[in-house]
Structures are given as C-alpha cells and as structure tokens.
Amino acid sequence: ACATSIRRGALASELPFLSQPEQTALEMYSRSAQQGNVDAQIKLGDYHYYGRGTKADPEQAVAHYRLASEGQNAEAMFNLAYMHAHGLGLPRDFHLAKRHYDMAIESTAEAFIPVKLALCELYAMQWLEDVSQWRVVQMVRDSSAFQQFLSLVVIDEEIQWDTVAIMLLTLMLGAVVAARFSMRPPPALAPHARQ
C-alpha cells in the first residue's frame, strides 16, 4: 500500500526523501516481492517493462512475470503470453503464447474476454507470418509499386493510418461502384434501332 501511495505521489510532498517517487516505489515493490507478494512481482515486471524508476528491461520484466505466474496469477500469465507473442524479452513463440493465454483463462474466468481478444490478434499475427512466406507475397513486397506505396504510407518509420484508411475506403467505393454498374440491366433498344 505504501508503494502504491508513493507511486501516485501522495507522500512525495510530505516526506523529503521521496524526491524520486517511482524509484522509491520500485524499491518498496522489490522488498514486497522478496517477501512473496505476487502483486508486487507483477508491478516490478511492469516497472521494468515500461522503464519506470529504472531503464526499460524486457528480460527483467519476463523474470518477474514468470515468478508471479508461478503463483497462478492470470495477469502475469497474460503478460508472459503477450511477450512471447511479440518477442519482447524472449524469442517470439506463438505456441508458448497460446499456452500462457490458455493458462490465464484456466486460472480465472475474468480473463476470458481479454484472452479471446488477444488470441484473435495472435492468430492474425501467425496468419500474416505464414502468408508473408508465400512466393507471390514476396514478389509483391519486392516490387517497385509496393515500395512506392510504402513511401506514401510510412513516414519517419511510422505508418500513416489516415492515408491507409483513405486508400482502403477509395478501393471499397470503387468496388461498390463497379458492382452497381455490373448489376444494371442493359438499356432497351429504341423501336427504330431494331431494324
């Protein structure tokens, strides 16, 4: 409780030694985790993952999440699964990610919806990785037209989602217009044109 108060800055103004509340909270969570507090292990994992009070260290975050998951904590299992799925702090492994997501569901029913959503993302990532290995996809990716498309969509190594959305909506509108014209019956011939 004290670490949470310090993290929120409630005690920082009252106690002069708390000039760096995140580092102090990190120290208190560390002490609590050493005494077997699973929630403190998760907080330590979060602090190391996001770089709060210390530098970001995904490997250290994994270590804390593993210790917390041994206590059958669904949040720790979910975080481990996410890190396996995205290759953060450990090698990317879809099968281990799925196993940890399944363990999170088994440990508590509250994890059902978040895990199912995460599994949708996991399956999509796995499908995209499989599709990217297809020869046709590799040829398209290496083409100059695709490179020009990327130059429009990716600026300063960030995807410009508004540009992508406009392009997709334009393509969808074109498909709708083409479908409407193809369903229109041919015009009837005038009586004098039949002869």
Side-chain angles (χ1 to χ4, degrees), residues 22-181:
E22 285 189 338
Q23 290 174 339
T24 306
L26 180 69
E27 177 62 31
M28 292 199 173
Y29 281 131
S30 182
R31 290 179 187 172
S32 182
Q34 289 171 355
Q35 296 173 3
N37 186 323
V38 175
D39 292 329
Q41 284 289 358
I42 293 172
K43 283 294 184 187
L44 282 174
D46 292 345
Y47 270 54
H48 285 284
Y49 180 81
Y50 293 108
R52 293 186 183 141
T54 183
K55 68 180 182 100
D57 185 359
E59 289 87 11
Q60 193 68 24
V62 167
H64 289 292
Y65 291 145
R66 276 199 178 124
L67 288 171
S69 71
E70 290 172 5
Q72 299 301 309
N73 186 288
E75 184 179 354
M77 293 174 194
F78 184 92
N79 291 349
L80 269 177
Y82 181 86
M83 294 181 86
H84 275 292
H86 294 274
L88 301 168
L90 36 78
R92 178 184 240 180
D93 189 335
F94 292 129
H95 299 291
L96 281 176
K98 169 105 170 59
R99 182 180 304 160
H100 283 287
Y101 282 136
D102 290 343
M103 288 171 27
I105 284 180
E106 290 172 10
S107 69
T108 181
E110 293 172 350
F112 183 80
I113 292 174
V115 167
K116 290 301 180 180
L117 291 171
L119 284 172
C120 289
E121 179 201 25
L122 182 70
Y123 295 143
M125 287 171 38
Q126 193 169 15
W127 180 80
L128 285 173
E129 189 172 286
D130 291 344
V131 167
S132 70
Q133 301 303 316
W134 295 353
R135 180 153 172 72
V136 172
V137 172
Q138 290 175 355
M139 288 171 44
V140 168
R141 191 176 27 197
D142 295 339
S143 71
S144 62
F146 185 73
Q147 297 304 320
Q148 288 175 342
F149 170 75
L150 281 181
S151 70
L152 292 172
V153 173
V154 179
I155 298 173
D156 295 332
E157 296 185 21
E158 283 192 32
I159 297 175
Q160 304 300 313
W161 290 108
D162 54 345
T163 305
V164 172
I166 289 170
M167 289 179 175
L168 289 175
L169 289 172
T170 302
L171 288 172
M172 289 173 27
L173 180 62
V176 167
V177 169
R180 294 285 303 218
F181 276 115

